[in-house]
Amino acid sequence: MVNEQGYNVALVGATGAVGHKMLETLERKKFPIKQLTLLSSSRSAGKKINFKGEEYTVQEATPESFEGIQIALFSAGGSVSKSLAHEAVARGAVVIDNTSAFRMDENVPLVVPEVNEEDIAKHNGIIANPNCSTIQMVAALKPIQAKFGMSRVIVSTYQAVSGAGNLAIDELKDQSQAFLNGEDMEANLLPVSGDKKHYPIAFNALPQIDVFQENGYTYEEMKMINETKKIMHAPGLPVAATCVRLPFFTSHAESVYVEVADENVTVKDIQSALVNADGIILEDDPSTQTYPTPLSASGKSEVFVGRVRKDLDNAKGFHLWVVSDNLLKGAAWNSVQIAESLIKNNWL
Amino acid sequence: MVNEQGYNVALVGATGAVGHKMLETLERKKFPIKQLTLLSSSRSAGKKINFKGEEYTVQEATPESFEGIQIALFSAGGSVSKSLAHEAVARGAVVIDNTSAFRMDENVPLVVPEVNEEDIAKHNGIIANPNCSTIQMVAALKPIQAKFGMSRVIVSTYQAVSGAGNLAIDELKDQSQAFLNGEDMEANLLPVSGDKKHYPIAFNALPQIDVFQENGYTYEEMKMINETKKIMHAPGLPVAATCVRLPFFTSHAESVYVEVADENVTVKDIQSALVNADGIILEDDPSTQTYPTPLSASGKSEVFVGRVRKDLDNAKGFHLWVVSDNLLKGAAWNSVQIAESLIKNNWL
């Protein structure tokens, strides 16, 4: 039952790129907050943040921070979630975790509300928010799978630097200006802050997001592959991914190839499944050069789909171009949607 | 037989982005030139261009410009090639055409020397240079096809603005600086200069290169599909393409999925086929974050391949990341290679 007075909400990682968008989203969506607690690592503790006209001081997150908290949004990196999420649950909070810490844990639902909202009901205190590049893809795939079946997915991504945090945004700005000034570009962060080598991202493309796994795929690619199967309840669905970081600030784009079960499906069928789907906006008209781009999708909550084409050789194959704001639907908005669902369905 | 005194060479489109690289390449590769004639549209005629320390005045291209010319390199747009290539041939020149005017003409060989050099012998005066994004892909696919067969290709491209000419380079620079200054970006050219709408390319991604065709694919995508089949002598090979323009200046990158004929092929097999192939450099070592990028490939003649992975679901499937300088191997260098082959093989 909805609590008219609102809920005690904690946000861990309040000072990060996603944390900032979480606060904006909570305010814009009028999320019913009784008391807001802003938490972070010790490094960022003490910072002041404004929310609905009131100033909050960010506190260092400790187990005790979660006393009395009903909903805890975590977005401060996997290690923080691993050390504190169970502490929050032990104190009665439901955790919505935006890191990869628990996503593949079979006791933790991994949820995109438009795709598998019912999984939230099975939570044991923690609900995981998927990887940004996964969320927008499954949001677009689900209405197609539901109507026409799905036997294969191959995706190549075009990902914004904000997925790597505020420092990556600064690095792209600094390198771009240096290049335009004819100066050398300094690369200290991307593709992966903790990895051995760094390459310029400005006016470049880096085919590495997150660290390499033993099988030659990056962790980002394996997240897309494994999370897609889990969210879509399709453990046997073949999914392949190549993930590439590009020099733009916000919104990921994806070139997605899918095979459906029936060779009589048309482009119009796919388009009408997408038009009628929750959270999807079809922007697809070649005659007017209408298609989504990272710039056009930024700041919006929906997942945008364009360039729907039937494969010229395989009657079951279709190509899509899927774009969404990686900080909103890819992170903050999806987390807040899960929180709204917890309340609306009395699953808290 | 090689003419020791060199050849009379005309370059049509001498003032463009590719024309500039043609001149650089002719000089760097010590192409045997007896007399050089620089031609252009009337708009650019009169410009001065330096070649090997000598100043040349660019002349307006007319049918008579080709009197006495043995090799004519065309790179001034399809309409110029259509109106003048046959005039050049009638006057005894062999035309190497870098536009799409004759590529799919069955009387015109479409050539990437590492792939189908022998087709040059069949020319009737015109040899077509393929589209830049096609050249680098087929260069990487051919050694794989030759050794292991090939039953399918799906590519998503990451293409540099220089493929759209010098004005597109300026547009990316101007828009980038405007954005960094907090000003509005002016879009007057991309994605396609003659199309109805223009969108900013700086800090963005545009899923349109060249104009849309009736089937919903862009002309660039259809060029990749049709040219690949022709060059590889594989009319029945399924090829799918999604082409995307991105905010970097030089070198196209491609995320390529291929299926080979044999499920026992390993990543090492693919890598060793590529290592031993002409014109290919394998840059592929996840343990040292080694892979090609647009910045690393720019200014080089070769096609670079990295991120070779076996598909996790299909034992015949492999993923590759293919990068090459679109103005060199994608245009100028491939054209000059064809000219070198004409001479070396006495096919002039």
Side-chain angles (χ1 to χ4, degrees), chain A residues 158 179 185 199-208 244-247, chain B residues 136 157-162 172 244-255 283 291-302 304-307 321-328:
Chain A
Y158 302 71
F179 187 96
M185 295 191 275
Y199 301 108
I201 183 64
F203 306 110
N204 204 12
L206 301 178
Q208 181 193 356
V244 182
R245 186 76 75 191
L246 289 165
Chain B
Q136 65 184 68
T157 70
Y158 301 71
Q159 295 186 231
V161 296
S162 57
L172 172 55
V244 182
R245 186 75 74 191
L246 288 165
F248 40 84
F249 295 102
T250 315
S251 297
H252 296 337
E254 297 173 347
S255 169
E283 292 188 338
Y291 39 70
T293 68
L295 280 183
S296 74
S298 292
K300 297 173 186 163
S301 300
E302 296 86 356
F304 298 85
V305 184
R307 302 288 335 266
W321 174 250
V322 180
V323 188
S324 190
D325 188 317
N326 57 306
L327 300 177
L328 293 179

Side-chain angles (χ1 to χ4, degrees), chain B residues 5 17 66 72 77 93 133 168 184 189 237 266 271 273 295 325 329 347:
Chain B
Q5 305 201 308
F66 299 96
S133 52
D184 285 345
L189 184 73
L237 178 67
T266 66
Q271 288 171 325
L295 280 183
D325 188 317
K329 182 57 185 166
W347 288 334

